[in-house]
Amino acid sequence: MTASLPLPTFLLAALLLATSGGFDAAANPATIHAFAMDGASDHTLSLMAGLSGVVARTSPEVHLGFRDSDPAADPDFWLNRHVENNPGTRVVWQDDAGWFLEHYKPLLSGYVLYDDGSLNQATSVAGAVGAVMVHESLVGGTVGAALAESGLEQIEDVRGRSSDWVFDRYDFNRELIYRQQPSKLHQLRAHAVLNGGFVFDATGATRDRYLAAQRPQSLVLGWGYENDEQEFFSSASRHNLMTVPADFLQSSAGPARWEVVLPPRPGKADPATPTRPDAHYVAFVMSDGDNAQWLTNTFATSGRWFGSPHRGAFPMTFDLTPALLEINPTALKYFYDQAGPDAQPTTFVTAGGHGINYPSQINDIAGYVDATVQAMQRVDHNVISILDPDNPAEALDALAARPEIAGVMFKTNSGGYADRHGEVRWSSGTAIAAVRYTLWEGFETPDSLTAKLNAAPRDALHDPASYSIVNVHPWSDITDGHGRGDPMSNVAAIVERLDNGVEVVTLEELFLHLSRNQETLSRSVKDDASK
């Protein structure tokens, strides 16, 4: 994609920066200027999202948050964690968008004019040229006056322009592309502008044209067309891309560039831990950690999930996208820091890869595995959870062949993730184990799972059925029987009623036992197959 008309030098400089594969420079500013979202119009929030993205290329010092209210999903939570990590950082609140336009005018190339039908086009152009996007309704008011006083001129008008027109006229980041609904007026847009990524909401051949221009194994942030999860995952997979659900990502520019020192992953299994011959091993694994917007909104604080008072009372595993290190490293550090002191281990495994895809639908398995292992190493993971509507045996084997990976968990995209019924096999000496049960309405309840686990085989040296992975669905609200209405409380209700012979462990420890006892366990599998 080459611009059809020559661009001024300052726009070319911004364009080159935007297409360099991301902005690697990160810094922790002495002062953060926070814009109060309380009461701001939707179009003002769009403007401020774009401005924060441009500014974060130089210094991640503009944040959007709620100064006068405290919603459940408040991006101020991460601002406060950043300040805790960097004592002495000043936070100065402003509620006037004009102040930001004047203060940061040296970093802005101008503004892109748009209307109700062209927000995605405006976001794309703003990212490509380092501008802010301004809705036509703002031009005649205080924002228009602030633009004039700041000397910021209109450099593009995308009203009536199609996404194809923008795609063909400007160059974009080939490592990051964004699927966003125009109805989401500020969410995810700061991150798109920061990274100079193309933003679209098309499907079919038009979507495929955009995705085909991206580099293999790069990321698609956002969500599916008309909220279709499988469309999102599948379309990216067919182009050898990986996805990160992120369409509700708030104030996403500054936090993506705040520097952290990431501690080691908490809850690591001790390789010297002996296997109990008479035990049934079970690992509870909460799914959906591929979803960056959930991880950065209410996952951290809600009592349903990571913020549960039950966390630390039993071994627990959360799957989590390694892309969080690039999207909000402060959040990743927070999860590791908070889980570290837990009395019983809390740990994390990789959800899908650098992002999530369907491995059965990709054709560059070697590239996928390489990108996945690199992403896992950056966040200190050694176990991966794979979701697929088919049986991606070639990809599972390729992952298992890597010495950096200690175990591969497989969940089907049907039957509550458990259509392989706990199947275990080994490849290159590494166990590949399928989900056996799912704690989720319509599949298992706390009472049914407690009964099944207490009645399960207990021969951890010889019988693979002595190992169970339970997928804990985060949106489950089971109250039947001993159900307590939220996922973590329901896991606690199960653990409290398990017999002594049922050993609750992290997923990493479960794979440790499977791999250590491969010889005797696999013999049992072969014997069963010959009957």
Coordinates of all heavy atoms in Angstrom, one line a residue, residues 274-307:
P274 N 7.3 -35.5 44.4 CA 7.0 -36.9 44.1 C 5.6 -37.1 43.7 O 4.7 -36.4 44.0 CB 7.3 -37.6 45.4 CG 7.1 -36.6 46.5 CD 7.5 -35.3 45.9
T275 N 5.4 -38.1 42.9 CA 4.0 -38.5 42.5 C 3.4 -39.4 43.5 O 4.0 -40.4 43.9 CB 4.1 -39.3 41.1 OG1 4.7 -38.4 40.2 CG2 2.7 -39.6 40.7
R276 N 2.2 -39.1 44.0 CA 1.5 -40.0 44.9 C 0.9 -41.2 44.1 O 0.0 -40.9 43.3 CB 0.4 -39.3 45.6 CG 0.8 -38.4 46.8 CD -0.4 -37.8 47.4 NE -1.4 -38.8 47.8 CZ -2.7 -38.5 48.2 NH1 -3.0 -37.2 48.3 NH2 -3.5 -39.4 48.6
P277 N 1.3 -42.4 44.3 CA 0.8 -43.5 43.5 C -0.7 -43.7 43.6 O -1.3 -44.1 42.7 CB 1.6 -44.7 44.1 CG 2.8 -44.1 44.7 CD 2.4 -42.8 45.3
D278 N -1.3 -43.4 44.8 CA -2.7 -43.7 45.0 C -3.6 -42.4 44.9 O -4.6 -42.4 45.5 CB -2.8 -44.3 46.4 CG -2.3 -43.3 47.5 OD1 -1.7 -42.3 47.2 OD2 -2.6 -43.6 48.7
A279 N -3.1 -41.4 44.1 CA -3.9 -40.2 44.0 C -4.6 -40.1 42.7 O -4.2 -40.7 41.7 CB -2.9 -39.0 44.2
H280 N -5.6 -39.3 42.7 CA -6.2 -38.7 41.5 C -5.8 -37.3 41.4 O -6.2 -36.5 42.3 CB -7.7 -38.9 41.4 CG -8.3 -38.4 40.2 ND1 -8.6 -39.2 39.1 CD2 -8.7 -37.1 39.7 CE1 -9.1 -38.5 38.1 NE2 -9.2 -37.2 38.5
Y281 N -5.1 -36.9 40.4 CA -4.7 -35.5 40.3 C -5.7 -34.7 39.4 O -6.1 -35.1 38.4 CB -3.3 -35.4 39.6 CG -2.2 -35.8 40.5 CD1 -1.6 -37.1 40.5 CD2 -1.6 -34.9 41.4 CE1 -0.6 -37.4 41.4 CE2 -0.6 -35.2 42.3 CZ -0.1 -36.5 42.3 OH 0.9 -36.8 43.1
V282 N -6.0 -33.5 40.0 CA -6.9 -32.6 39.3 C -6.4 -31.2 39.3 O -5.9 -30.7 40.3 CB -8.3 -32.6 39.9 CG1 -8.3 -32.2 41.3 CG2 -9.3 -31.7 39.1
A283 N -6.4 -30.5 38.1 CA -6.1 -29.1 38.0 C -7.3 -28.3 37.5 O -7.9 -28.7 36.5 CB -4.9 -29.0 37.0
F284 N -7.6 -27.2 38.2 CA -8.6 -26.3 37.8 C -8.0 -25.2 37.1 O -7.1 -24.5 37.6 CB -9.3 -25.8 39.1 CG -10.1 -26.8 39.8 CD1 -9.5 -27.5 40.9 CD2 -11.4 -27.2 39.5 CE1 -10.3 -28.5 41.6 CE2 -12.1 -28.1 40.1 CZ -11.5 -28.8 41.2
V285 N -8.5 -25.0 35.8 CA -7.9 -24.0 34.9 C -9.0 -23.0 34.5 O -9.9 -23.4 33.8 CB -7.2 -24.6 33.7 CG1 -6.5 -23.6 32.9 CG2 -6.2 -25.7 34.2
M286 N -8.9 -21.8 34.9 CA -9.9 -20.8 34.4 C -9.5 -20.3 33.0 O -8.4 -19.9 32.7 CB -10.0 -19.6 35.3 CG -11.1 -18.6 34.9 SD -11.5 -17.3 36.1 CE -12.2 -18.2 37.5
S287 N -10.5 -20.4 32.1 CA -10.3 -20.1 30.7 C -10.5 -18.6 30.4 O -10.8 -17.8 31.3 CB -11.2 -21.0 29.8 OG -12.5 -20.7 30.1
D288 N -10.4 -18.3 29.1 CA -10.7 -16.9 28.6 C -9.7 -15.9 28.9 O -10.0 -14.7 28.7 CB -12.1 -16.5 29.0 CG -13.2 -17.3 28.4 OD1 -13.3 -18.5 28.6 OD2 -14.0 -16.7 27.6
G289 N -8.5 -16.3 29.3 CA -7.5 -15.3 29.6 C -6.8 -14.8 28.3 O -5.9 -14.0 28.4
D290 N -7.3 -15.3 27.1 CA -6.9 -14.6 25.9 C -7.5 -13.2 25.7 O -7.0 -12.4 24.9 CB -7.4 -15.5 24.7 CG -8.9 -15.7 24.7 OD1 -9.4 -16.4 25.6 OD2 -9.5 -15.1 23.8
N291 N -8.5 -12.9 26.6 CA -9.3 -11.7 26.4 C -8.6 -10.6 27.2 O -8.8 -10.4 28.4 CB -10.7 -12.0 27.0 CG -11.7 -10.9 26.8 OD1 -11.3 -9.8 26.7 ND2 -12.9 -11.3 26.7
A292 N -7.9 -9.7 26.5 CA -7.1 -8.7 27.1 C -8.0 -7.6 27.8 O -7.6 -7.0 28.8 CB -6.2 -8.0 26.1
Q293 N -9.2 -7.4 27.2 CA -10.0 -6.4 27.8 C -10.6 -6.8 29.1 O -10.7 -6.0 30.1 CB -11.2 -6.1 26.8 CG -12.1 -7.2 26.6 CD -13.0 -7.1 25.4 OE1 -12.8 -6.2 24.6 NE2 -14.0 -7.9 25.3
W294 N -10.9 -8.1 29.3 CA -11.3 -8.6 30.6 C -10.2 -8.6 31.6 O -10.4 -8.1 32.7 CB -11.8 -10.1 30.4 CG -12.1 -10.8 31.6 CD1 -13.0 -10.4 32.6 CD2 -11.7 -12.2 31.9 NE1 -13.1 -11.4 33.6 CE2 -12.3 -12.5 33.2 CE3 -10.9 -13.1 31.3 CZ2 -12.1 -13.7 33.8 CZ3 -10.7 -14.3 31.9 CH2 -11.3 -14.6 33.2
L295 N -9.0 -8.9 31.2 CA -7.8 -8.9 32.1 C -7.6 -7.5 32.6 O -7.1 -7.3 33.7 CB -6.6 -9.4 31.4 CG -6.6 -10.9 30.9 CD1 -5.3 -11.2 30.1 CD2 -6.8 -11.8 32.1
T296 N -7.8 -6.5 31.8 CA -7.5 -5.1 32.1 C -8.7 -4.3 32.6 O -8.6 -3.2 33.0 CB -6.9 -4.3 31.0 OG1 -7.8 -4.4 29.9 CG2 -5.6 -5.0 30.6
N297 N -9.9 -5.0 32.7 CA -11.1 -4.3 33.2 C -11.4 -4.8 34.6 O -10.9 -4.3 35.6 CB -12.2 -4.4 32.3 CG -12.1 -3.4 31.1 OD1 -11.5 -2.3 31.3 ND2 -12.6 -3.7 29.9
T298 N -12.2 -5.9 34.7 CA -12.7 -6.3 36.1 C -12.0 -7.6 36.6 O -12.3 -8.0 37.7 CB -14.2 -6.5 36.0 OG1 -14.6 -7.3 34.9 CG2 -14.9 -5.1 35.9
F299 N -11.2 -8.3 35.7 CA -10.6 -9.5 36.2 C -9.8 -9.4 37.4 O -9.9 -10.2 38.3 CB -9.7 -10.1 35.0 CG -8.9 -11.3 35.4 CD1 -9.4 -12.5 35.4 CD2 -7.5 -11.1 35.7 CE1 -8.7 -13.6 35.7 CE2 -6.8 -12.2 36.0 CZ -7.3 -13.5 36.0
A300 N -9.1 -8.3 37.5 CA -8.1 -8.1 38.7 C -8.8 -8.0 40.0 O -8.3 -8.4 41.0 CB -7.2 -6.9 38.4
T301 N -10.0 -7.3 40.0 CA -10.6 -6.9 41.3 C -11.9 -7.6 41.6 O -12.2 -7.7 42.8 CB -10.9 -5.4 41.2 OG1 -11.8 -5.1 40.1 CG2 -9.7 -4.5 41.0
S302 N -12.5 -8.2 40.7 CA -13.8 -8.9 41.0 C -13.6 -10.2 41.8 O -12.7 -11.0 41.6 CB -14.5 -9.3 39.7 OG -15.6 -10.1 40.0
G303 N -14.5 -10.3 42.8 CA -14.4 -11.5 43.6 C -14.8 -12.8 42.9 O -14.5 -13.9 43.4
R304 N -15.2 -12.7 41.6 CA -15.5 -13.8 40.8 C -14.3 -14.5 40.3 O -14.3 -15.7 39.9 CB -16.4 -13.4 39.6 CG -17.8 -12.9 40.0 CD -18.5 -12.4 38.7 NE -18.6 -13.4 37.7 CZ -19.5 -14.4 37.7 NH1 -20.5 -14.4 38.6 NH2 -19.6 -15.3 36.7
W305 N -13.2 -13.7 40.1 CA -12.1 -14.1 39.3 C -10.8 -14.0 40.1 O -10.7 -14.5 41.2 CB -12.1 -13.4 38.0 CG -13.3 -13.5 37.2 CD1 -14.0 -14.7 37.0 CD2 -14.2 -12.5 36.7 NE1 -15.1 -14.5 36.3 CE2 -15.3 -13.1 36.1 CE3 -14.1 -11.1 36.6 CZ2 -16.3 -12.4 35.4 CZ3 -15.1 -10.4 36.0 CH2 -16.2 -11.0 35.4
F306 N -9.8 -13.3 39.6 CA -8.5 -13.2 40.2 C -8.6 -12.5 41.6 O -7.9 -12.8 42.5 CB -7.5 -12.4 39.3 CG -6.1 -12.3 39.9 CD1 -5.3 -13.4 39.7 CD2 -5.7 -11.2 40.5 CE1 -4.0 -13.4 40.2 CE2 -4.4 -11.1 41.0 CZ -3.5 -12.3 40.9
G307 N -9.6 -11.5 41.7 CA -9.7 -10.8 43.0 C -10.5 -11.6 44.1 O -10.8 -11.0 45.1

